[in-house]
Amino acid sequence: MAEPLRIALAGLGTVGIGVIELLETNRSTIERRAGRELQIVAINARDRSRDRGIDLSPYIWVDDMQAMAERGDVDVVLELVGGSDGPALTLARAALDAGKGFVTANKAMIAHHGLALAEQAALRGVPLKFEAAVAGGIPVVKGLREGAAANRIERIYGILNGTCNYILSEMERTGADFGDMLRAAQEKGYAEADPTFDIEGVDAAHKLAILAGIGFGARVDFDHVAATGIGEVRAADITQAESLGYVIRLVGIASLDRSEKRPTLLQRVRPCLVGRGHPLAAVAGPTNAVVAEGNFVGRLLFQGAGAGAGPTASAVVADLIDIARGDSGAPFSVPVEQLEQLAPADPGNRIGRDYIRFTVNDRPGVLAEITAAMRDAEVSIESLIQRGRDHEGGEVLVAMVTHEGPERCVAKALDLLDGSPSLTAPPLVMPILKD
Amino acid sequence: MAEPLRIALAGLGTVGIGVIELLETNRSTIERRAGRELQIVAINARDRSRDRGIDLSPYIWVDDMQAMAERGDVDVVLELVGGSDGPALTLARAALDAGKGFVTANKAMIAHHGLALAEQAALRGVPLKFEAAVAGGIPVVKGLREGAAANRIERIYGILNGTCNYILSEMERTGADFGDMLRAAQEKGYAEADPTFDIEGVDAAHKLAILAGIGFGARVDFDHVAATGIGEVRAADITQAESLGYVIRLVGIASLDRSEKRPTLLQRVRPCLVGRGHPLAAVAGPTNAVVAEGNFVGRLLFQGAGAGAGPTASAVVADLIDIARGDSGAPFSVPVEQLEQLAPADPGNRIGRDYIRFTVNDRPGVLAEITAAMRDAEVSIESLIQRGRDHEGGEVLVAMVTHEGPERCVAKALDLLDGSPSLTAPPLVMPILKD
């Protein structure tokens, strides 16, 4: 048996402790698969005194992360500290600089600084891996980078945030409104006390940008992911969608348009209508699912737990096993200097169908005003539902589904209606996921 | 850029031609990902004169497979000939013997001879890969071997045969009987002229045995896979199942029982009742899906096209790219000499629920006879449906679902009823898939 792979672990939250427990529980399985022992040598966290319910005495406690990264008895640094910048990034740079392999579950850091870190890793000839940064336990980074490697990927999309999926599928199941289900998610531990990053789609956007980079062999471009959260989705939208044969899911979509001379990349996180027969429609609770469409393989689906200590530890340790086995491939599937710089697509060019929901005053002429705006913007309406008053205030919901057309027409129609006293709130537009 | 990876391709059926087309179409993508060119050097097939609709002049035609395996200008031999023994096996042995890497899509050969070939590959220090042998384009061999490597896998199951899944889901959609849908599948090209291997579950059994080997780190044991096909499933069974909240799918299940001193392995391919909320219930048409349950990651689902030239070529080329990148891990996830020899489980020990369907003569006392046998065998009945006559012959269907219990009790009940003049045909037992 070869020498052990010696690991320094920074961050002893639930995932860090999960990694320690996994390496302990599955020790012999892992040794057989990795061909060598995976050995945690040094650990670090902010608060040494906290009781974490686990015996940490076998590991050397190191207070200074920089010093930990440079230890001679360490092969790989595992970062589970979190945060896109700050200590996590400092540690990453120090570790790679010291010629150590680097493994992380940090989606924010990889979305923002993954390219720079990949360059540094390439320069030092050491591995950089981040399976756990996308979709928790699901081996989708590997699935795209290696499993689907023979394909030109044309579209990647999926349910990338378990908190939002839990809330939406519970709204569907119970008929309750967003606020109540957010509180339920917080009580169950599926949502943080401050849920902003999840609810507003930022977390999903981080993951999407990373997936797009790997799938398309492109430079990660988080700044051009347009994210809309689920805070505006109402129970009534879910009911309307249901009556039309759809469910609502927060979907991150990255699609490559090669029809123009210069290919363009559209990256969006949006609540979408998903046809009931689509595999994503069956994904309920805090589960993640990713679909990749390749030009030879067709549609691949990867599904599993998107978060939690066990699943995240599983992905982290899979990376460590890969390193132990000698994997040293490019983190984003092709060498960083060969990644394509894709121009962001104009979302107005998207050809598709949309669900549009208006909240309007219940008075004569409102429907005429809305439909006239649609006509003037050349939006063709496939179906329209107006339901009686929801509330006593006289507010009425008008929901419609458009025929396929350029999204810029929908935007134009909304512009025409902007400021109209008939509307009581900004309209909500949700794309209908193409099969 | 490194030297090209030089490939000898044996077998120019649809998959072989698909591989050539894939390598041509996605050349630049593959080169960037593999870090080198994937170059077919030599080709071989039974009939040189046949027009395959593709220009084969760039490749050296070699009549003798043995000679092809030994060529000095070849790094990897790709076998797409098929058949568990015969020329495919001869080629595999010759290639590994000559120190070449070996890639195959041949599930029958790997199920029967994979261990011997893995030993030979280890001895020569060359890669042996067979992603395409299981579930077509889905990277599930990689998903188990690497993606889930940190886990002890407890159960692997899935829809492993697209032909059967097409037939069953079409029976469900149309209400038609097995025979009609088999013919429809044959017309659509989803079933072979001689569909025996698919329909009787042998093909799924090959794949299951391979998955079990990889997932459990165990010696492949195809001989102990008990396979039952879908030929006995009637339209009426599907209707009954539906009324109980289930769909019927042909499911391959491998589960490891570590409760005894010596762990045992249960491997079965059976038509099963799958709860409508389970991800496998949503898998329709010629699609494959595999679920692996790990002790940290929980439930992982991999889904996609289980057959066809494009998806299979995608998996084959993913293997070639892995080899080009320098992957040389153990084919069955752990070195072949360390694979566990698991004793086959006694299926009677399985604790679960079953659907049992009797076809009986419509006369007094039949139900009493059946329920008495159940009582005497200690099978507890959860629900029972007797529907009026299906046909004019006086044959009636009695379907029941049992409470959870040992499968040996169900077998005993059927033994008690064996030979009863009340039954017009052998009963059909379908396990209910545990969530």
Side-chain angles (χ1 to χ4, degrees):
Chain A
M1 179 112 5
E3 295 289 300
L5 184 76
R6 298 163 304 171
I7 300 154
L9 163 59
L12 294 171
T14 53
V15 175
I17 298 300
V19 168
I20 292 176
E21 285 175 341
L22 195 165
L23 289 175
E24 191 50 49
T25 309
N26 293 351
R27 176 168 302 282
S28 69
T29 301
I30 290 169
E31 250 186 72
R32 287 196 304 157
R33 295 203 179 132
R36 53 205 274 212
E37 194 191 340
L38 267 55
Q39 189 180 74
I40 295 178
V41 173
I43 56 175
N44 158 283
R46 250 183 318 199
D47 180 2
R48 184 169 185 176
S49 62
R50 213 176 108 205
D51 178 14
R52 294 173 172 90
I54 192 172
D55 177 18
L56 297 174
S57 64
Y59 318 111
I60 302 164
W61 184 281
V62 186
D63 277 311
D64 176 26
M65 276 207 266
Q66 177 85 26
M68 184 165 84
E70 290 168 0
R71 288 180 71 92
D73 59 358
V74 164
D75 303 308
V76 178
V77 172
L78 170 56
E79 182 273 311
L80 299 170
V81 173
S84 64
D85 297 81
L89 186 59
T90 306
L91 176 64
R93 288 179 176 147
L96 295 171
D97 209 42
K100 312 297 186 189
F102 187 74
V103 173
T104 177
N106 189 330
K107 56 213 76 164
M109 182 173 73
I110 296 299
H112 285 283
H113 306 293
L115 292 178
L117 296 176
E119 274 166 22
Q120 208 185 333
L123 214 62
R124 305 305 305 249
V126 292
L128 164 69
K129 296 187 74 74
F130 43 80
E131 181 65 80
V134 183
I138 311 172
V140 63
V141 166
K142 180 176 284 286
L144 282 178
R145 180 179 174 267
E146 304 166 30
N151 293 266
R152 282 168 64 159
I153 304 289
E154 275 132 28
R155 197 163 66 131
I156 303 168
Y157 61 97
I159 293 172
L160 299 172
N161 184 274
T163 307
C164 288
N165 204 60
Y166 175 82
I167 292 173
L168 288 173
S169 59
E170 282 296 287
M171 284 172 73
E172 191 181 308
R173 195 177 64 82
T174 63
D177 248 313
F178 171 74
D180 293 335
M181 288 303 102
L182 170 57
R183 271 185 297 278
Q186 285 170 323
E187 277 159 24
K188 291 214 167 196
Y190 294 148
E192 317 251 351
D194 176 2
T196 319
F197 258 43
D198 292 316
I199 297 310
E200 294 188 351
V202 180
D203 173 77
H206 286 144
K207 298 171 187 167
L208 184 68
I210 298 170
L211 286 177
I214 297 166
F216 302 134
R219 294 182 68 82
V220 176
D221 186 10
F222 172 71
D223 292 342
H224 289 103
V225 185
T228 305
I230 62 169
E232 300 303 318
V233 178
R234 298 185 184 190
D237 292 311
I238 290 176
T239 314
Q240 303 287 35
E242 212 161 14
S243 73
L244 296 161
Y246 297 94
V247 300
I248 298 178
R249 294 286 180 268
L250 184 71
V251 183
I253 308 184
S255 54
L256 195 58
D257 182 355
R258 293 201 181 271
S259 65
E260 301 294 312
K261 206 168 168 186
R262 263 189 79 194
T264 59
L265 174 61
L266 186 63
Q267 297 179 100
R268 306 209 293 191
V269 176
R270 291 279 288 266
C272 288
L273 267 65
V274 178
R276 215 173 281 132
H278 192 285
L280 291 194
V283 180
T287 301
N288 280 196
V290 179
V291 174
E293 292 172 354
N295 65 339
F296 275 74
V297 76
R299 182 199 278 172
L300 285 178
L301 170 73
F302 303 87
Q303 187 173 320
T312 309
S314 167
V316 163
V317 175
D319 278 348
L320 293 169
I321 293 174
D322 268 356
I323 292 175
R325 280 171 170 161
D327 170 22
S328 56
F332 292 98
S333 84
V334 305
V336 62
E337 71 280 5
Q338 290 176 41
L339 291 167
E340 253 186 295
Q341 176 82 58
L342 292 171
D346 175 354
N349 290 342
R350 167 184 169 262
I351 306 290
R353 295 161 68 221
D354 287 296
Y355 166 97
I356 314 173
R357 182 256 294 158
F358 300 91
T359 50
V360 302
N361 288 310
D362 188 11
R363 63 178 189 205
V366 171
L367 262 186
E369 187 185 344
I370 292 176
T371 52
M374 294 292 150
R375 177 200 61 212
D376 295 346
E378 296 179 68
V379 175
S380 171
I381 299 169
E382 183 191 291
S383 55
L384 186 149
I385 306 177
Q386 179 182 343
R387 288 270 161 82
R389 289 174 202 185
D390 250 21
H391 309 288
E392 297 191 355
E395 191 188 66
V396 166
L397 294 195
V398 175
M400 62 175 68
V401 167
T402 69
H403 277 295
E404 194 163 86
E407 197 165 295
R408 80 161 43 76
C409 296
V410 171
K412 188 180 164 196
L414 298 191
D415 269 356
L416 291 174
L417 290 166
D418 190 31
S420 159
S422 303
L423 307 190
T424 60
L428 175 67
V429 180
M430 293 190 275
I432 294 179
L433 184 68
K434 257 184 225 175
D435 252 9
Chain B
M1 181 121 353
E3 294 290 301
L5 184 77
R6 298 162 307 171
I7 300 153
L9 163 59
L12 295 169
T14 53
V15 175
I17 298 301
V19 167
I20 293 176
E21 284 175 344
L22 194 166
L23 289 174
E24 193 50 51
T25 309
N26 293 350
R27 179 167 299 283
S28 69
T29 300
I30 290 169
E31 252 186 69
R32 287 197 304 156
R33 295 204 179 132
R36 52 204 277 211
E37 195 189 339
L38 266 55
Q39 191 180 69
I40 295 179
V41 173
I43 56 175
N44 159 282
R46 251 182 317 200
D47 180 2
R48 184 170 186 171
S49 62
R50 210 176 111 206
D51 179 13
R52 294 174 171 91
I54 194 173
D55 177 18
L56 295 174
S57 64
Y59 318 111
I60 302 163
W61 186 280
V62 186
D63 277 310
D64 177 25
M65 274 206 270
Q66 178 85 27
M68 185 164 86
E70 290 168 358
R71 289 181 70 93
D73 60 359
V74 163
D75 304 309
V76 178
V77 172
L78 171 55
E79 182 272 311
L80 300 171
V81 173
S84 64
D85 296 80
L89 186 59
T90 308
L91 177 64
R93 288 178 175 149
L96 295 171
D97 210 39
K100 313 295 188 190
F102 187 73
V103 173
T104 179
N106 190 328
K107 58 213 73 166
M109 181 173 74
I110 296 299
H112 286 283
H113 306 292
L115 291 178
L117 295 177
E119 274 166 21
Q120 209 184 332
L123 215 61
R124 306 304 305 249
V126 292
L128 164 69
K129 294 185 77 74
F130 43 80
E131 181 66 79
V134 183
I138 310 173
V140 63
V141 168
K142 180 176 284 285
L144 281 179
R145 182 179 173 268
E146 304 167 30
N151 292 267
R152 282 169 63 161
I153 304 288
E154 275 133 26
R155 197 163 66 133
I156 302 169
Y157 61 97
I159 293 171
L160 299 172
N161 185 273
T163 307
C164 289
N165 204 59
Y166 176 81
I167 292 172
L168 288 173
S169 58
E170 283 296 287
M171 285 171 72
E172 190 180 306
R173 196 176 63 82
T174 63
D177 247 313
F178 172 74
D180 294 335
M181 287 304 100
L182 171 57
R183 274 185 296 279
Q186 284 169 324
E187 278 159 23
K188 291 215 169 195
Y190 294 147
E192 318 251 350
D194 176 1
T196 318
F197 258 42
D198 291 318
I199 297 310
E200 294 188 351
V202 180
D203 173 78
H206 286 145
K207 298 170 188 168
L208 184 68
I210 299 170
L211 286 178
I214 298 167
F216 303 133
R219 292 184 69 82
V220 176
D221 185 11
F222 172 71
D223 292 341
H224 288 103
V225 185
T228 305
I230 62 168
E232 300 303 320
V233 178
R234 299 186 184 189
D237 292 313
I238 291 178
T239 314
Q240 304 287 37
E242 213 162 13
S243 73
L244 296 163
Y246 297 95
V247 300
I248 298 177
R249 295 284 180 269
L250 183 71
V251 183
I253 308 187
S255 54
L256 196 58
D257 182 355
R258 292 201 182 271
S259 66
E260 300 294 312
K261 206 167 171 189
R262 262 190 78 195
T264 59
L265 173 63
L266 186 63
Q267 299 179 98
R268 308 209 291 191
V269 176
R270 290 281 287 269
C272 289
L273 267 65
V274 178
R276 216 174 278 133
H278 192 284
L280 291 193
V283 179
T287 302
N288 280 196
V290 179
V291 174
E293 292 172 352
N295 64 340
F296 275 76
V297 75
R299 182 199 278 172
L300 284 177
L301 170 74
F302 303 87
Q303 186 173 322
T312 309
S314 167
V316 164
V317 176
D319 278 348
L320 293 170
I321 293 174
D322 267 356
I323 293 175
R325 280 170 170 163
D327 170 22
S328 55
F332 292 99
S333 84
V334 306
V336 63
E337 72 280 5
Q338 291 178 39
L339 291 167
E340 253 185 293
Q341 177 83 58
L342 292 171
D346 175 354
N349 289 342
R350 168 187 168 260
I351 306 291
R353 295 161 67 222
D354 287 296
Y355 166 98
I356 314 173
R357 182 256 294 157
F358 300 90
T359 51
V360 301
N361 288 310
D362 188 10
R363 63 178 189 205
V366 172
L367 263 186
E369 186 186 346
I370 292 176
T371 50
M374 294 292 151
R375 179 202 57 211
D376 294 346
E378 296 181 69
V379 174
S380 170
I381 299 169
E382 181 189 293
S383 55
L384 186 149
I385 307 178
Q386 176 180 346
R387 286 272 159 81
R389 286 173 205 188
D390 248 20
H391 311 289
E392 298 191 354
E395 189 188 68
V396 165
L397 294 194
V398 175
M400 63 175 68
V401 169
T402 69
H403 277 294
E404 194 163 85
E407 197 165 295
R408 81 161 43 76
C409 295
V410 171
K412 186 179 165 198
L414 299 190
D415 269 356
L416 293 174
L417 290 165
D418 191 29
S420 160
S422 303
L423 307 189
T424 59
L428 176 67
V429 180
M430 294 190 275
I432 295 181
L433 183 67
K434 257 184 223 176
D435 251 9

